[in-house]
Amino acid sequence: DYAIDGMGLAKIYVAVKWGQGNLFGQYGCGSVPIKQGDVYLINNYTLPHWVYNGSDEDRIVLDISANLNSPIVKQSIITAFKKAFYES
């Protein structure tokens, strides 16, 4: 898949509505501590993953496949990361 980078990352996963009791796990990582509003880069093409909704509400995610090797997408991710972690 041309969208997978060297680490296997190929999806932008946004937890739009993520109630208490929802779980996301990935092979080799175990449960990932996702909270509502979190955004993750994930590898769901080469690593099995699972999601369990243990809440009483619908779980809503925005699952974006993108060419992560695209200079525009790559720069957007780097800019967002810096803004979130270095400018706040």
Side-chain angles (χ1 to χ4, degrees):
D1 188 329
Y2 73 90
I4 297 176
D5 76 352
M7 294 173 37
L9 300 171
K11 292 272 187 167
I12 300 168
Y13 192 87
V14 183
V16 176
K17 185 175 179 185
W18 196 270
Q20 190 77 353
N22 281 317
L23 298 173
F24 178 93
Q26 191 135 28
Y27 181 78
C29 302
S31 291
V32 179
I34 294 179
K35 300 182 307 274
Q36 186 165 300
D38 283 351
V39 179
Y40 282 86
L41 287 173
I42 64 169
N43 174 346
N44 73 331
Y45 289 120
T46 59
L47 291 178
H49 72 285
W50 61 94
V51 181
Y52 171 76
N53 186 350
S55 76
D56 294 333
E57 302 176 342
D58 290 337
R59 174 182 55 86
I60 301 173
V61 299
L62 179 60
D63 186 349
I64 304 167
S65 286
N67 180 355
L68 299 180
N69 291 314
S70 158
I72 295 169
V73 173
K74 188 176 282 190
Q75 188 56 51
S76 295
I77 291 169
I78 291 168
T79 300
F81 182 86
K82 287 179 179 178
K83 183 175 181 182
F85 293 101
Y86 295 111
E87 296 175 10
S88 45

